[in-house]
Amino acid sequence: MQQSSRLQGKVALITGGGGGIGAATARVFCGEGAALVLVDANADALASAAAYLKEIHPAARVETCVADVSSEGDARRAVKLAADAFDRLDVLVNNAAMRNYTALADVTPAEWQSMVAVNLIGTSNYCKAALPLLRAAGASSIVNVSSCYAVTGRKGMGLYDATKAGMLAMTRTLAFEEAAHGVRANAVCPGSTLTDFHVNRAQAAGKSIEVLKTQRQDTSLIGRWASPEEIAWPILWLASDEASFITGTTLMVDGGLSIM
């Protein structure tokens, strides 16, 4: 596979790197020359993702860290791995997330606390741990993976959507606070994306992939699911120097759902 160079010489840390959008982002970043630290709670998925990267890019520089994103200590450990292995960090992609399907009328405080611990505190953990290296690198980038539903409404996922909206506020504040240090902060808001999570969930319910692919035709103007790579490419662009004059922005990667 031919390698490009938009991230040549740069080091990126990606949370939730074992599958879905995170693994797709790792593939795209690796193809653009980045060295990677992949973080995920699923050790098997993480090992498979790293092995595949080295299969398609034999010279790939990939380190893995099994971690609980909600743990501040694990975040420090993952960033230290980047420092020890590569002596720098240029890009942080906060992609790991937790889901919950409880209606707001029925949700418990414990459910709220679990969601906030991963989707908001987890994002904060990695930003806090990574910022010293990102500042030292200069012209560095944070990309937070939010959701199109952070800015639109739906029923059944109020906890997830509220925490994803919080990520957008966090991103804007980071942009203000870190501009003087040469760190840009932006967010992407994916729409319906056909990840392993959705495939596995459908199969567990007895639904075939073929049937699954016929759904979500009414959740975008384009009338289909996105592939994980279709989200990874905009993340790459925001992470790269091509987006050097962009910070504090929210990029909708939702096939037009947010204007429907």
Side-chain angles (χ1 to χ4, degrees), residues 56 60 78 81 131 172 215:
I56 60 175
L81 177 59
L131 277 169
R172 291 189 292 268
Q215 299 178 342

Coordinates of all heavy atoms in Angstrom, one line a residue, residues 56 60 78 81 131 172 215:
I56 N -0.2 -4.3 6.7 CA -0.4 -3.5 5.5 C 0.8 -2.5 5.4 O 1.0 -1.9 4.3 CB -1.7 -2.8 5.4 CG1 -1.9 -1.9 6.7 CG2 -2.8 -3.8 5.4 CD1 -3.2 -1.1 6.6
A60 N 5.5 0.1 9.9 CA 4.7 0.8 10.8 C 5.3 0.9 12.2 O 5.8 -0.2 12.7 CB 3.3 0.3 10.9
A78 N -0.4 5.9 29.2 CA -0.4 5.9 27.7 C 0.4 7.0 27.1 O 1.2 6.8 26.1 CB -1.9 6.0 27.2
L81 N 4.0 6.2 27.4 CA 4.4 5.3 26.4 C 4.8 6.0 25.1 O 5.8 5.6 24.5 CB 3.3 4.3 26.1 CG 3.5 3.2 25.0 CD1 4.7 2.4 25.3 CD2 2.2 2.4 24.9
L131 N -1.1 17.3 27.1 CA -0.8 18.7 26.8 C 0.7 19.1 26.9 O 1.2 19.8 26.1 CB -1.7 19.6 27.5 CG -3.1 19.8 26.9 CD1 -4.0 20.6 27.8 CD2 -2.9 20.6 25.6
R172 N -14.1 23.8 22.5 CA -14.0 25.3 22.3 C -13.1 25.9 23.4 O -12.3 26.8 23.1 CB -15.4 25.9 22.3 CG -16.2 25.5 21.0 CD -17.5 26.3 21.0 NE -18.4 26.0 22.0 CZ -19.4 25.1 21.9 NH1 -19.5 24.4 20.8 NH2 -20.2 24.8 22.9
Q215 N -30.7 0.0 6.3 CA -31.3 0.9 7.3 C -30.5 2.2 7.3 O -29.5 2.3 6.6 CB -31.3 0.3 8.7 CG -32.1 -1.0 8.7 CD -32.1 -1.7 10.1 OE1 -31.2 -1.4 10.9 NE2 -33.1 -2.5 10.3

